[in-house]
Amino acid sequence: MNKLKLTIGIFFLGIAGFAQKVDYTEYNLDNGLHVILHQDNSAPVVTTSVMYHVGGKDREDGRTGFAHFFEHLLFEGTENIGRGKWFEIVSSHGGKNNANTTNDRTYYYETFPSNNLELGLWMESERMMHPVIGQEGVDTQNEVVKEERRMRMDNSPYGNILPAMQKNMFEKHPYKDPNIGYMEDLDAATLQEFKNYFKKYYVPNNAVLVVAGDINIKDTKKLVQDYFGPIPSGKDVVRNLPKEEPITKEVHAKFYDANIQIPMTIIGYRTPEFGNKDSYVLNMISKYLSDGNSSKLYKKLVDQQNIALQVGAVNLEQEDYSMYLLYSLPQGETSLATLNTEIEAEITKLRSELISESDFEKLQNKAENSFVNSNSSIEGIANSLARNYLLYNNTSLINEEIDIYRNITREEIKEVANKYLKPNQRVIIDYLPKSEEKKAE
């Protein structure tokens, strides 16, 4: 090992050394709410968060996008928080808050100075117990969601990459539809349908509450019981989502975007769910192929061959099926077919050869660095605890996940590439400027 390599190795070992064990306490309230408490008194801040097990996939045909819609609607107000006052209350008490929705879950959180712990708990209990779901709020948030869709998808360059892939990768499972849903579905929904949706999914036994930061465990348990204990549980959520048949023959489709001038190729493979060991291996393969300027695809397509403006790979992990995506923008007159051929050449190497020891060592260092960074803040720890419990069914992953990456071998990388990243298992999308559509007719 040369001096530079030794220095880099010591640097990353030093970073990993800061990945101290995250202590936590977890238990259930009588109404089924799972509670996780993490005490860290090193800074006077606290994060209160609730993750609900409801996402874009929880819908009926003709009623898509409800979970994302509720991400917005549940900031409208409650019986005790005036309409439009939510953000004002948070900011006036020195806090910040946000929410986000995926196909599998919805996450709300506030971060306050720790003397406002009770305020954070009260607000989240209000959201769960006393939301005002009225026609005025529904109409207002309907317009907000429409504007978000226009901004992020319809009027944004490359804004429909994921929907284009989802539509072609899934035939039966709700993952075939965009998380934000279709606007005509929200327009057609009645107020009672929204109320029924809330009653079904936004209940204590379908959620996890995480409180992390400058707290006292005993005192916090009492506050949690006071504010969340009286909330009645709901019926157990039962999902019978359709299963997809394996992809055994390459799917090749086109999508036209009026907001772009440069085409893009997107290659997708259906991959395993959250928590599957193979999914961790695919995350490492992503870093190997496209993490940084020295990664295999970037170095080859952008630096050496000068045929791509950009190239990337990512494993989009989900609860039922994940999607492994590779994408590239051509340089000059380079065809999308040429990019696909060169990308496949690198995938072929992964399937047929072991990666080098030096590349493997670098991958492990990157995995450790990412793990440390994800838990370097109270907000990050709260998110990890909630996600690990709700989606992975294993809260202890917050301390054990790094060992999963450390135990991955070069042989497993080759095996997983052979298992999931074959040409007959892929979906290829030619993502083209709208102007090309007429030429294709």
Side-chain angles (χ1 to χ4, degrees), residues 150-169:
R150 285 191 287 266
M151 181 178 68
R152 294 188 177 183
M153 294 174 62
D154 300 337
N155 298 330
S156 176
Y158 308 102
N160 280 285
I161 288 174
L162 280 181
M165 180 57 70
Q166 289 170 264
K167 181 181 179 181
N168 287 280
M169 185 173 287

Side-chain angles (χ1 to χ4, degrees), residues 60-98:
E60 298 176 4
D61 288 340
R63 291 296 182 268
T64 59
F66 273 36
H68 174 264
F69 186 80
F70 267 91
E71 175 197 322
H72 293 269
L73 187 63
L74 294 185
F75 282 105
E76 272 287 306
T78 74
E79 292 177 11
N80 298 298
I81 298 176
R83 185 167 184 264
K85 294 294 184 181
W86 189 285
F87 295 99
E88 182 181 313
I89 292 173
V90 172
S91 61
S92 66
H93 287 82
K96 59 179 180 177
N97 70 150
N98 213 332

Side-chain angles (χ1 to χ4, degrees), residues 62-63 66 69-70 73 133-135 138-139 142 184-197:
R63 291 296 182 268
F66 273 36
F69 186 80
F70 267 91
L73 187 63
I133 302 174
Q135 195 61 54
V138 166
D139 292 343
N142 199 352
E184 58 267 27
D185 292 351
L186 294 177
D187 288 340
T190 66
L191 181 60
Q192 190 59 50
E193 285 178 304
F194 287 117
K195 289 182 177 180
N196 292 343
Y197 193 83

Side-chain angles (χ1 to χ4, degrees), residues 61-338:
D61 288 340
R63 291 296 182 268
T64 59
F66 273 36
H68 174 264
F69 186 80
F70 267 91
E71 175 197 322
H72 293 269
L73 187 63
L74 294 185
F75 282 105
E76 272 287 306
T78 74
E79 292 177 11
N80 298 298
I81 298 176
R83 185 167 184 264
K85 294 294 184 181
W86 189 285
F87 295 99
E88 182 181 313
I89 292 173
V90 172
S91 61
S92 66
H93 287 82
K96 59 179 180 177
N97 70 150
N98 213 332
N100 51 74
T101 307
T102 70
N103 275 319
D104 302 307
R105 94 293 181 276
T106 305
Y107 186 58
Y108 300 90
Y109 70 94
E110 299 81 29
T111 299
F112 281 112
S114 51
N115 60 347
N116 285 313
L117 165 63
E118 188 169 359
L119 176 62
L121 291 172
W122 172 71
M123 294 184 78
E124 285 303 332
S125 68
E126 277 289 300
R127 194 196 310 269
M128 188 181 291
M129 191 175 189
H130 296 133
V132 174
I133 302 174
Q135 195 61 54
E136 183 179 10
V138 166
D139 292 343
T140 299
Q141 295 308 321
N142 199 352
E143 292 305 313
V144 170
V145 171
K146 286 179 179 178
E147 180 56 30
E148 179 180 345
R149 182 185 173 97
R150 285 191 287 266
M151 181 178 68
R152 294 188 177 183
M153 294 174 62
D154 300 337
N155 298 330
S156 176
Y158 308 102
N160 280 285
I161 288 174
L162 280 181
M165 180 57 70
Q166 289 170 264
K167 181 181 179 181
N168 287 280
M169 185 173 287
F170 301 101
E171 295 182 2
K172 304 173 185 177
H173 194 281
Y175 287 162
K176 65 187 175 63
D177 298 316
N179 182 42
I180 200 170
Y182 303 108
M183 297 306 98
E184 58 267 27
D185 292 351
L186 294 177
D187 288 340
T190 66
L191 181 60
Q192 190 59 50
E193 285 178 304
F194 287 117
K195 289 182 177 180
N196 292 343
Y197 193 83
F198 178 86
K199 184 178 180 181
K200 180 176 181 178
Y201 292 107
Y202 297 83
V203 291
N205 48 303
N206 196 47
V208 55
L209 166 70
V210 178
V211 185
D214 186 25
I215 63 173
N216 174 279
I217 297 292
K218 181 180 178 181
D219 294 343
T220 303
K221 280 187 173 182
K222 183 180 185 308
L223 290 172
V224 168
Q225 179 61 41
D226 289 345
Y227 285 107
F228 289 88
I231 303 175
S233 60
K235 295 180 180 179
D236 290 341
V237 175
V238 178
R239 293 178 175 86
N240 265 318
L241 300 178
K243 305 293 184 183
E244 291 284 343
E245 295 297 324
I247 298 173
T248 58
K249 183 178 179 181
E250 179 183 281
V251 177
H252 203 147
K254 291 180 170 61
F255 184 91
Y256 297 95
D257 188 335
N259 304 297
I260 67 171
Q261 295 181 334
I262 301 174
M264 174 184 282
T265 182
I266 314 156
I267 304 170
Y269 307 83
R270 196 188 302 147
T271 51
E273 71 284 353
F274 276 130
N276 188 305
K277 175 71 176 293
D278 290 349
S279 193
Y280 287 101
V281 179
L282 286 161
N283 290 338
M284 292 191 78
I285 290 176
S286 296
K287 291 183 180 296
Y288 175 78
L289 290 174
S290 73
D291 186 22
N293 293 352
S294 64
S295 62
K296 297 302 176 183
L297 286 177
Y298 188 94
K299 190 172 182 180
K300 176 182 179 181
L301 273 64
V302 178
D303 283 349
Q304 296 176 348
Q305 297 184 0
N306 197 30
I307 60 173
L309 295 169
Q310 187 178 349
V311 63
V314 61
N315 186 35
L316 295 179
E317 295 177 284
Q318 300 182 124
E319 188 173 24
D320 299 333
Y321 303 97
S322 300
M323 296 190 296
Y324 191 88
L325 305 181
L326 300 112
Y327 60 90
S328 186
L329 291 164
Q331 172 79 277
E333 298 300 315
T334 304
S335 69
L336 298 186
T338 297

